[in-house]
mmCIF file of all heavy atoms in Angstrom:
data_model
loop_
_atom_site.group_PDB
_atom_site.id
_atom_site.type_symbol
_atom_site.label_atom_id
_atom_site.label_comp_id
_atom_site.label_asym_id
_atom_site.label_seq_id
_atom_site.Cartn_x
_atom_site.Cartn_y
_atom_site.Cartn_z
ATOM 1 N N VAL A 114 -48.476 -10.256 -16.028
ATOM 2 C CA VAL A 114 -48.067 -8.936 -16.518
ATOM 3 C C VAL A 114 -49.256 -8.412 -17.396
ATOM 4 O O VAL A 114 -49.641 -9.105 -18.360
ATOM 5 C CB VAL A 114 -46.788 -8.971 -17.288
ATOM 6 C CG1 VAL A 114 -46.424 -7.610 -17.824
ATOM 7 C CG2 VAL A 114 -45.637 -9.500 -16.427
ATOM 8 N N VAL A 115 -49.707 -7.239 -17.058
ATOM 9 C CA VAL A 115 -50.812 -6.625 -17.842
ATOM 10 C C VAL A 115 -50.466 -5.137 -18.133
ATOM 11 O O VAL A 115 -49.599 -4.591 -17.542
ATOM 12 C CB VAL A 115 -52.240 -6.822 -17.145
ATOM 13 C CG1 VAL A 115 -52.576 -8.191 -16.990
ATOM 14 C CG2 VAL A 115 -52.149 -5.942 -15.739
ATOM 15 N N ARG A 116 -51.211 -4.571 -19.103
ATOM 16 C CA ARG A 116 -51.050 -3.180 -19.355
ATOM 17 C C ARG A 116 -51.602 -2.353 -18.202
ATOM 18 O O ARG A 116 -52.548 -2.625 -17.600
ATOM 19 C CB ARG A 116 -51.881 -2.790 -20.568
ATOM 20 C CG ARG A 116 -51.277 -3.384 -21.902
ATOM 21 C CD ARG A 116 -52.007 -2.860 -23.104
ATOM 22 N NE ARG A 116 -52.060 -1.422 -23.080
ATOM 23 C CZ ARG A 116 -53.061 -0.702 -23.655
ATOM 24 N NH1 ARG A 116 -54.010 -1.379 -24.302
ATOM 25 N NH2 ARG A 116 -53.100 0.524 -23.688
ATOM 26 N N ASP A 117 -50.787 -1.347 -17.811
ATOM 27 C CA ASP A 117 -51.055 -0.550 -16.630
ATOM 28 C C ASP A 117 -52.415 0.278 -16.900
ATOM 29 O O ASP A 117 -53.141 0.569 -15.995
ATOM 30 C CB ASP A 117 -49.942 0.390 -16.317
ATOM 31 C CG ASP A 117 -50.035 1.000 -15.012
ATOM 32 O OD1 ASP A 117 -50.856 0.593 -14.185
ATOM 33 O OD2 ASP A 117 -49.346 2.033 -14.766
ATOM 34 N N ALA A 118 -52.579 0.637 -18.134
ATOM 35 C CA ALA A 118 -53.697 1.572 -18.420
ATOM 36 C C ALA A 118 -55.060 0.882 -18.235
ATOM 37 O O ALA A 118 -55.976 1.527 -17.714
ATOM 38 C CB ALA A 118 -53.517 2.087 -19.899
ATOM 39 N N ASP A 119 -55.166 -0.321 -18.687
ATOM 40 C CA ASP A 119 -56.540 -0.945 -18.692
ATOM 41 C C ASP A 119 -56.494 -2.382 -18.279
ATOM 42 O O ASP A 119 -57.602 -3.039 -18.228
ATOM 43 C CB ASP A 119 -57.142 -0.834 -20.054
ATOM 44 C CG ASP A 119 -56.386 -1.505 -21.196
ATOM 45 O OD1 ASP A 119 -55.314 -2.147 -20.904
ATOM 46 O OD2 ASP A 119 -56.712 -1.308 -22.355
ATOM 47 N N GLY A 120 -55.375 -2.949 -17.844
ATOM 48 C CA GLY A 120 -55.308 -4.297 -17.385
ATOM 49 C C GLY A 120 -55.479 -5.404 -18.467
ATOM 50 O O GLY A 120 -55.551 -6.565 -18.174
ATOM 51 N N SER A 121 -55.253 -4.974 -19.712
ATOM 52 C CA SER A 121 -55.414 -6.003 -20.842
ATOM 53 C C SER A 121 -54.028 -6.674 -21.072
ATOM 54 O O SER A 121 -53.060 -6.187 -20.493
ATOM 55 C CB SER A 121 -55.955 -5.305 -22.120
ATOM 56 O OG SER A 121 -54.987 -4.320 -22.539
ATOM 57 N N ILE A 123 -50.579 -7.821 -22.790
ATOM 58 C CA ILE A 123 -49.559 -6.981 -23.516
ATOM 59 C C ILE A 123 -49.220 -7.807 -24.789
ATOM 60 O O ILE A 123 -49.379 -8.957 -24.911
ATOM 61 C CB ILE A 123 -48.322 -6.797 -22.632
ATOM 62 C CG1 ILE A 123 -47.571 -8.059 -22.347
ATOM 63 C CG2 ILE A 123 -48.670 -6.030 -21.374
ATOM 64 C CD1 ILE A 123 -46.260 -7.844 -21.645
ATOM 65 N N THR A 127 -44.670 -4.456 -26.449
ATOM 66 C CA THR A 127 -44.562 -4.103 -24.984
ATOM 67 C C THR A 127 -43.710 -5.143 -24.255
ATOM 68 O O THR A 127 -42.908 -4.792 -23.330
ATOM 69 C CB THR A 127 -45.962 -4.043 -24.371
ATOM 70 O OG1 THR A 127 -46.787 -3.133 -25.159
ATOM 71 C CG2 THR A 127 -45.977 -3.685 -22.893
ATOM 72 N N LEU A 130 -40.124 -4.290 -24.931
ATOM 73 C CA LEU A 130 -39.861 -3.077 -24.211
ATOM 74 C C LEU A 130 -39.632 -3.296 -22.730
ATOM 75 O O LEU A 130 -38.697 -2.843 -22.036
ATOM 76 C CB LEU A 130 -40.977 -2.022 -24.420
ATOM 77 C CG LEU A 130 -40.656 -0.583 -23.985
ATOM 78 C CD1 LEU A 130 -39.433 -0.051 -24.666
ATOM 79 C CD2 LEU A 130 -41.915 0.271 -24.252
ATOM 80 N N ARG A 131 -40.475 -4.194 -22.184
ATOM 81 C CA ARG A 131 -40.282 -4.554 -20.786
ATOM 82 C C ARG A 131 -39.025 -5.333 -20.562
ATOM 83 O O ARG A 131 -38.342 -5.202 -19.489
ATOM 84 C CB ARG A 131 -41.479 -5.472 -20.351
ATOM 85 C CG ARG A 131 -41.575 -5.644 -18.773
ATOM 86 C CD ARG A 131 -42.895 -6.157 -18.377
ATOM 87 N NE ARG A 131 -43.070 -6.096 -16.954
ATOM 88 C CZ ARG A 131 -42.725 -6.935 -16.004
ATOM 89 N NH1 ARG A 131 -42.046 -8.113 -16.458
ATOM 90 N NH2 ARG A 131 -42.888 -6.797 -14.766
ATOM 91 N N ARG A 156 -44.509 -1.135 -9.059
ATOM 92 C CA ARG A 156 -43.882 -1.195 -10.437
ATOM 93 C C ARG A 156 -42.439 -0.966 -10.371
ATOM 94 O O ARG A 156 -41.947 -0.062 -9.661
ATOM 95 C CB ARG A 156 -44.563 -0.107 -11.315
ATOM 96 C CG ARG A 156 -46.011 -0.400 -11.620
ATOM 97 C CD ARG A 156 -46.609 0.795 -12.278
ATOM 98 N NE ARG A 156 -46.555 1.891 -11.436
ATOM 99 C CZ ARG A 156 -46.997 3.116 -11.712
ATOM 100 N NH1 ARG A 156 -47.538 3.358 -12.908
ATOM 101 N NH2 ARG A 156 -46.937 4.131 -10.878
ATOM 102 N N GLY A 157 -41.680 -1.779 -11.054
ATOM 103 C CA GLY A 157 -40.201 -1.566 -11.210
ATOM 104 C C GLY A 157 -39.974 -0.726 -12.424
ATOM 105 O O GLY A 157 -40.940 -0.288 -13.115
ATOM 106 N N TRP A 158 -38.739 -0.383 -12.679
ATOM 107 C CA TRP A 158 -38.431 0.448 -13.869
ATOM 108 C C TRP A 158 -38.864 -0.246 -15.151
ATOM 109 O O TRP A 158 -39.362 0.476 -16.092
ATOM 110 C CB TRP A 158 -36.898 0.726 -13.916
ATOM 111 C CG TRP A 158 -36.526 1.708 -12.923
ATOM 112 C CD1 TRP A 158 -37.216 2.312 -11.949
ATOM 113 C CD2 TRP A 158 -35.145 2.174 -12.753
ATOM 114 N NE1 TRP A 158 -36.438 3.112 -11.257
ATOM 115 C CE2 TRP A 158 -35.097 3.066 -11.680
ATOM 116 C CE3 TRP A 158 -33.972 1.888 -13.409
ATOM 117 C CZ2 TRP A 158 -33.961 3.747 -11.263
ATOM 118 C CZ3 TRP A 158 -32.782 2.511 -12.981
ATOM 119 C CH2 TRP A 158 -32.792 3.443 -11.908
ATOM 120 N N GLN A 159 -38.798 -1.595 -15.191
ATOM 121 C CA GLN A 159 -39.267 -2.349 -16.409
ATOM 122 C C GLN A 159 -40.758 -2.022 -16.611
ATOM 123 O O GLN A 159 -41.175 -1.957 -17.789
ATOM 124 C CB GLN A 159 -38.925 -3.787 -16.336
ATOM 125 C CG GLN A 159 -39.679 -4.564 -15.221
ATOM 126 C CD GLN A 159 -39.074 -4.490 -13.890
ATOM 127 O OE1 GLN A 159 -38.191 -3.685 -13.612
ATOM 128 N NE2 GLN A 159 -39.581 -5.295 -12.951
ATOM 129 N N ASP A 160 -41.538 -1.937 -15.545
ATOM 130 C CA ASP A 160 -42.984 -1.701 -15.701
ATOM 131 C C ASP A 160 -43.181 -0.238 -16.095
ATOM 132 O O ASP A 160 -44.099 0.051 -16.916
ATOM 133 C CB ASP A 160 -43.737 -2.029 -14.350
ATOM 134 C CG ASP A 160 -43.637 -3.437 -14.019
ATOM 135 O OD1 ASP A 160 -43.951 -4.293 -14.875
ATOM 136 O OD2 ASP A 160 -43.195 -3.730 -12.864
ATOM 137 N N LEU A 161 -42.486 0.689 -15.487
ATOM 138 C CA LEU A 161 -42.620 2.085 -15.813
ATOM 139 C C LEU A 161 -42.239 2.348 -17.270
ATOM 140 O O LEU A 161 -42.903 3.110 -17.998
ATOM 141 C CB LEU A 161 -41.795 2.987 -14.864
ATOM 142 C CG LEU A 161 -42.236 2.886 -13.414
ATOM 143 C CD1 LEU A 161 -41.197 3.630 -12.539
ATOM 144 C CD2 LEU A 161 -43.597 3.509 -13.189
ATOM 145 N N ILE A 162 -41.177 1.661 -17.755
ATOM 146 C CA ILE A 162 -40.742 1.890 -19.110
ATOM 147 C C ILE A 162 -41.781 1.338 -20.133
ATOM 148 O O ILE A 162 -42.084 1.945 -21.140
ATOM 149 C CB ILE A 162 -39.346 1.261 -19.324
ATOM 150 C CG1 ILE A 162 -38.291 2.032 -18.606
ATOM 151 C CG2 ILE A 162 -39.008 1.096 -20.838
ATOM 152 C CD1 ILE A 162 -36.937 1.393 -18.483
ATOM 153 N N ALA A 163 -42.301 0.230 -19.850
ATOM 154 C CA ALA A 163 -43.233 -0.485 -20.793
ATOM 155 C C ALA A 163 -44.720 -0.160 -20.517
ATOM 156 O O ALA A 163 -45.571 -0.570 -21.289
ATOM 157 C CB ALA A 163 -43.057 -2.018 -20.678
ATOM 158 N N GLY A 164 -45.028 0.510 -19.450
ATOM 159 C CA GLY A 164 -46.454 0.786 -19.132
ATOM 160 C C GLY A 164 -47.140 -0.407 -18.679
ATOM 161 O O GLY A 164 -48.284 -0.655 -19.122
ATOM 162 N N THR A 165 -46.503 -1.272 -17.795
ATOM 163 C CA THR A 165 -47.160 -2.503 -17.400
ATOM 164 C C THR A 165 -47.241 -2.542 -15.859
ATOM 165 O O THR A 165 -46.625 -1.652 -15.193
ATOM 166 C CB THR A 165 -46.336 -3.750 -17.917
ATOM 167 O OG1 THR A 165 -45.020 -3.633 -17.298
ATOM 168 C CG2 THR A 165 -46.240 -3.816 -19.355
ATOM 169 N N VAL A 166 -47.899 -3.492 -15.364
ATOM 170 C CA VAL A 166 -47.981 -3.765 -13.900
ATOM 171 C C VAL A 166 -48.173 -5.211 -13.783
ATOM 172 O O VAL A 166 -48.715 -5.919 -14.531
ATOM 173 C CB VAL A 166 -49.139 -3.015 -13.278
ATOM 174 C CG1 VAL A 166 -50.495 -3.416 -13.718
ATOM 175 C CG2 VAL A 166 -49.079 -2.927 -11.747
ATOM 176 N N VAL A 167 -47.691 -5.754 -12.623
ATOM 177 C CA VAL A 167 -47.780 -7.181 -12.325
ATOM 178 C C VAL A 167 -48.855 -7.361 -11.319
ATOM 179 O O VAL A 167 -48.833 -6.657 -10.285
ATOM 180 C CB VAL A 167 -46.397 -7.802 -11.806
ATOM 181 C CG1 VAL A 167 -46.617 -9.291 -11.514
ATOM 182 C CG2 VAL A 167 -45.313 -7.578 -12.823
#
Side-chain angles (χ1 to χ4, degrees):
V114 176
V115 296
R116 288 185 52 210
D117 193 16
D119 59 7
S121 64
I123 65 171
T127 304
L130 193 57
R131 191 167 194 273
R156 294 171 297 177
W158 287 0
Q159 66 277 11
D160 296 310
L161 295 171
I162 289 169
T165 60
V166 66
V167 180

